[in-house]
């Protein structure tokens, strides 16, 4: 009876883990798409700002440079991760899987803080050289590339027994 109960508990845990990973992968794919689109938008804006302002050495707020199109940040989801934590599905995963998932969502929290800090610099009403504005945009774009890679690793990871 104990063996059957143990087997049934492991089967239930496996189902919960599989469901959590399916939801996390779907969420990671949506986030990967969002950061990839945002990366392209930032690169396009940085290129336009450099191209459209090549004739001046003036200083102005980033928002005042020709080619500026705003920094509306993507909404990065974390509901599947939070549910996996609350339901203890993450705790029941093999360590390597749980570590991979935790790494991505930890990096996502860091990225969101970076969005806030970089956006504050870009939206400040103080004159700065064009190179500073473009540099911040390119740095943000690079961070989005790295996040897309992390999301891809979670999306493509095989489920461990």
């Amino acid at each position: 009876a104990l063996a059957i109960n143990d087997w049934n508990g492991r089967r239930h845990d496996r189902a919960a883990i599989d469901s959590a990973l399916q939801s996390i992968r779907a969420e990671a794919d949506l986030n990967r798409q969002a950061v990839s689109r945002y990366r392209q938008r930032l690169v396009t804006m940085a290129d336009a700002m450099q191209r459209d302002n090549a004739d001046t050495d003036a200083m102005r707020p980033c928002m005042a440079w020709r080619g500026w199109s705003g920094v509306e940040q993507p909404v990065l989801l974390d509901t599947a991760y939070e549910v996996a934590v609350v339901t203890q599905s993450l705790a029941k995963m093999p360590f390597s899987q749980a570590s991979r998932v935790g790494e991505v969502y930890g990096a996502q929290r860091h990225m969101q803080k970076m969005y806030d800090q970089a956006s504050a610099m870009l939206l400040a009403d103080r004159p700065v050289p064009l190179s500073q504005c473009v540099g911040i945009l390119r740095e943000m774009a690079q961070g989005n590339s790295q996040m897309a890679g992390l999301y891809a690793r979670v999306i493509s990871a095989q489920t461990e027994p």
Side-chain angles (χ1 to χ4, degrees):
L2 287 176
I4 291 172
N5 192 35
D6 188 44
W7 173 83
N8 193 39
R10 284 193 312 269
R11 186 176 61 84
H12 183 267
D13 288 349
R14 181 79 253 157
I17 290 168
D18 289 345
S19 177
L21 285 172
Q22 181 180 4
S23 296
I24 286 168
R25 285 184 181 122
E27 184 171 83
D29 190 42
L30 291 172
N31 287 343
R32 182 191 55 78
Q33 292 173 42
V35 297
S36 295
R37 282 189 306 270
Y38 193 51
R39 180 205 163 279
Q40 185 55 50
R41 188 170 171 282
L42 293 170
V43 168
T44 299
M45 182 171 35
D47 290 346
M49 289 172 71
Q50 277 190 309
R51 180 190 63 242
D52 295 350
N53 297 286
D55 60 340
T56 183
D57 290 332
M59 290 181 40
R60 57 183 69 137
C62 293
M63 298 176 297
W65 290 102
R66 289 185 304 269
W68 172 262
S69 59
V71 287
E72 183 179 335
Q73 303 170 16
V75 175
L76 300 179
L77 308 172
D78 67 355
T79 304
Y81 173 74
E82 294 297 333
V83 168
V85 170
V86 169
T87 61
Q88 297 187 355
S89 295
L90 194 66
K92 294 173 184 172
M93 286 180 196
F95 183 77
S96 61
Q97 282 180 321
S99 293
R100 203 172 17 252
V101 169
E103 175 188 16
V104 169
Y105 284 94
Q108 177 175 306
R109 280 190 298 278
H110 175 74
M111 173 64 69
Q112 288 171 309
K113 289 178 186 175
M114 195 262 307
Y115 284 159
D116 292 341
Q117 292 171 350
S119 293
M121 287 188 281
L122 291 167
L123 297 173
D125 193 22
R126 69 178 199 294
V128 294
L130 174 64
S131 61
Q132 182 174 333
C133 302
V134 169
I136 293 169
L137 291 170
R138 294 200 189 284
E139 186 173 328
M140 289 175 72
Q142 179 60 32
N144 280 279
S145 289
Q146 292 169 348
M147 276 307 306
L150 289 174
Y151 289 130
R153 282 182 45 209
V154 166
I155 295 164
S156 66
Q158 297 298 314
T159 302
E160 296 176 21

